Amino acid sequence: MQQRRTAGRAEKPAQPPGPGHGSAAPAAGAGVTPPLAAYVHIPWCVRKCPYCDFNSHAAGASLPEAEYIDALIDDLDQELEAVQGRELVSIFFGGGTPSLFSAASLERLLNAMSARLRFASDIEITLEANPGTFEQAKFAGYRSAGINRLSIGIQSFNPEHLKALGRIHDHREALAAVDMARRAGFDNLNLDLMHGLPDQSLEQALADIDQAIALGPEHLSWYQLTLEPNTVFYSQPPQLPEDDILWDIQEAGQARLAEHGYAQYEVSAYARAQRRARHNLNYWQYGDFIGIGAGAHGKQTHPDGRIERYWKTRLPKDYLNPDKSFRAGHRLLEPDELPFDFLMNALRLVDGVPSAWYSERTGQTLDSIANQLDDAVIRGLLQPWQQQLHTTERGRLFLNDLLQRFL
């Protein structure tokens, strides 16, 4: 494979907006490293949805599939030195629509990854897929390639809501996709559902949940539609339900999911027993992750305890250009950034994380933020924090307010 883009090209990139950058002091917990995952970004979709603010681009008549897999392998090679000897606990193919790529291409990448990194014996490998890109033969190929979890972007089963969201599939294809996944051998499925859709009623939102439950997925991601900057919906807002209806949907939907055995363990994640998404848990528990692909992000804990975040070249044409670096930028987090960076992930979890992890994964002691923690407890936003860092029910509702205390 052609060698290209030496890592030194990205030694001094421009810094992104944020509260500081530069040479962070070594963390007190130097030598302790969290679990390691990998995120692979495939940036093409059949069509850009009007609500989507992810790094995704409409696919043309043909995709540079083989060329992009070559680039992903080169990109991975440049990240290996920092993670040598560490075990990979999960891989997530996100996008875009990764299921636009063939099973053979993804298998080639997985083979390259397993030749370079040690896979955990129970590694979770997830592929995001949309019902409009499903083929039975392709699904069997994904399973044969080693992918053992599918995340299917259904969003709604209601024809009118699918149309309003700009989705390319209909409700029949959504049902067929789940059936095809099961017949291909997948026993670990996530379904993505949205609520608070244009003109959606409580009854319609619950009908979506009921249909999803009837399909028996192991995991459900259920989250409210938000109008994000740089999207069509942001510049041309649709008519969304009023706040009272949104609140009714949230309460009734959570109750319905709990009634059928889907326990909420994160703000928008619900799972049956032993089926929580390990890859996403690694993010929320402040684990490390390799990021490869156009626009991917990564997080690395160095042996001396310093924590680095980095991001890759965003546009596919630039990512595939041999004269440009894969890395678009990177920075070391300053000590005063770590409380917020850790807690904005950990406190999304209903049960939070063990308090000891804060020191292990940031190198700081909780005593350094004890005043803010105690104030949050007094205000009913946080549970007593000596053993476990987790919010109260009120704290989950006002999570942004809680996190502001740690900026």
Side-chain angles (χ1 to χ4, degrees):
M1 185 175 296
Q2 180 184 5
Q3 296 299 310
R4 47 186 252 176
R5 301 183 174 113
T6 61
R9 291 284 303 279
E11 284 294 322
K12 296 183 179 180
Q15 298 295 331
H21 60 273
S23 300
V32 178
T33 53
L36 178 69
Y39 175 76
V40 182
H41 192 74
I42 296 177
W44 291 283
C45 287
V46 174
R47 183 172 65 197
K48 181 83 170 179
C49 295
Y51 59 85
C52 179
D53 69 335
F54 296 148
N55 182 33
S56 60
H57 308 267
S62 62
L63 290 175
E65 189 168 323
E67 184 183 2
Y68 194 75
I69 295 294
D70 288 343
L72 288 170
I73 296 171
D74 285 346
D75 190 356
L76 175 65
D77 282 339
Q78 294 183 16
E79 300 296 341
L80 287 178
E81 183 177 356
V83 297
Q84 283 299 326
R86 297 178 64 181
E87 182 179 79
L88 202 60
V89 300
S90 68
I91 301 170
F92 194 100
F93 290 93
T97 306
S99 54
L100 289 175
F101 272 30
S102 68
S105 287
L106 299 186
E107 183 173 21
R108 182 159 73 91
L109 177 59
L110 285 171
N111 287 341
M113 296 177 77
S114 66
R116 291 160 169 79
L117 291 162
R118 178 163 49 95
F119 283 15
S121 60
D122 60 348
I123 188 169
E124 176 191 271
I125 305 177
T126 301
L127 176 77
E128 283 188 334
N130 286 333
T133 62
F134 278 71
E135 297 174 13
Q136 173 65 26
K138 184 185 281 189
F139 266 42
Y142 292 147
R143 188 67 190 89
S144 178
I147 294 164
N148 53 29
R149 182 174 182 270
L150 285 181
S151 180
I152 304 176
I154 288 175
Q155 314 312 351
S156 176
F157 295 95
N158 183 295
E160 291 303 314
H161 292 146
L162 288 171
K163 182 178 178 181
L165 292 172
R167 304 297 288 170
I168 63 171
H169 69 274
D170 61 28
H171 68 287
R172 292 181 297 272
E173 287 175 304
L175 299 176
V178 174
D179 179 62
M180 284 189 280
R182 293 302 195 196
R183 286 191 280 124
F186 285 96
D187 63 0
N188 195 0
L189 295 182
N190 169 65
L191 303 185
D192 259 18
L193 283 182
M194 300 172 72
H195 61 88
L197 306 180
D199 297 316
Q200 187 180 46
S201 67
L202 170 61
E203 292 74 21
Q204 289 171 328
L206 291 179
D208 274 348
I209 289 178
D210 288 340
Q211 177 63 85
I213 290 170
L215 293 172
E218 286 68 32
H219 190 283
L220 278 165
S221 297
W222 186 61
Y223 50 93
Q224 184 178 326
L225 171 65
T226 56
L227 306 184
E228 301 291 350
N230 302 315
T231 66
V232 173
F233 273 5
Y234 190 80
S235 59
Q236 303 171 36
Q239 183 65 47
L240 300 182
E242 295 180 356
D243 287 345
D244 287 347
I245 296 176
L246 292 174
W247 180 255
D248 289 344
I249 289 173
Q250 187 74 32
E251 284 197 315
Q254 288 180 334
R256 188 70 56 90
L257 289 165
E259 177 187 349
H260 289 274
Y262 292 92
Q264 183 183 20
Y265 68 97
E266 188 266 345
V267 170
S268 58
Y270 303 78
R272 289 181 167 170
Q274 309 302 316
R275 291 297 194 167
R276 296 180 176 187
R278 276 184 274 163
H279 186 85
N280 289 339
L281 276 174
N282 189 58
Y283 290 144
W284 299 321
Q285 293 172 348
Y286 214 56
D288 284 349
F289 51 97
I290 302 166
I292 60 173
H297 286 240
K299 171 182 172 284
Q300 171 66 33
T301 301
H302 291 275
D304 62 5
R306 294 177 302 162
I307 295 174
E308 178 185 20
R309 289 192 178 273
Y310 60 83
W311 52 99
K312 298 300 172 67
T313 297
R314 184 175 181 276
L315 295 177
K317 66 179 180 63
D318 292 333
Y319 183 82
L320 290 170
N321 184 345
D323 295 325
K324 293 183 179 290
S325 175
F326 289 121
R327 278 200 180 192
H330 72 131
R331 67 188 185 94
L332 296 169
L333 298 183
E334 296 286 358
D336 61 2
E337 296 179 81
L338 293 174
F340 179 84
D341 202 56
F342 179 91
L343 292 171
M344 73 172 180
N345 289 287
L347 294 184
R348 289 181 62 93
L349 293 167
V350 171
D351 296 329
V353 298
S355 298
W357 285 10
Y358 181 78
S359 177
E360 291 176 6
R361 299 189 180 187
T362 70
Q364 299 183 355
T365 67
L366 282 172
D367 289 341
S368 63
I369 55 173
N371 289 340
Q372 296 99 305
L373 293 171
D374 287 340
D375 180 66
V377 172
I378 291 169
R379 295 178 184 276
L381 301 173
L382 195 71
Q383 302 281 4
W385 52 270
Q386 284 71 20
Q387 300 299 320
Q388 191 83 359
L389 288 166
H390 61 131
T391 67
T392 62
E393 185 175 347
R394 173 180 170 82
R396 286 200 299 278
L397 292 174
F398 298 98
L399 186 57
N400 288 339
D401 293 338
L402 171 57
L403 292 172
Q404 290 299 312
R405 288 166 164 74
F406 302 96
L407 281 173

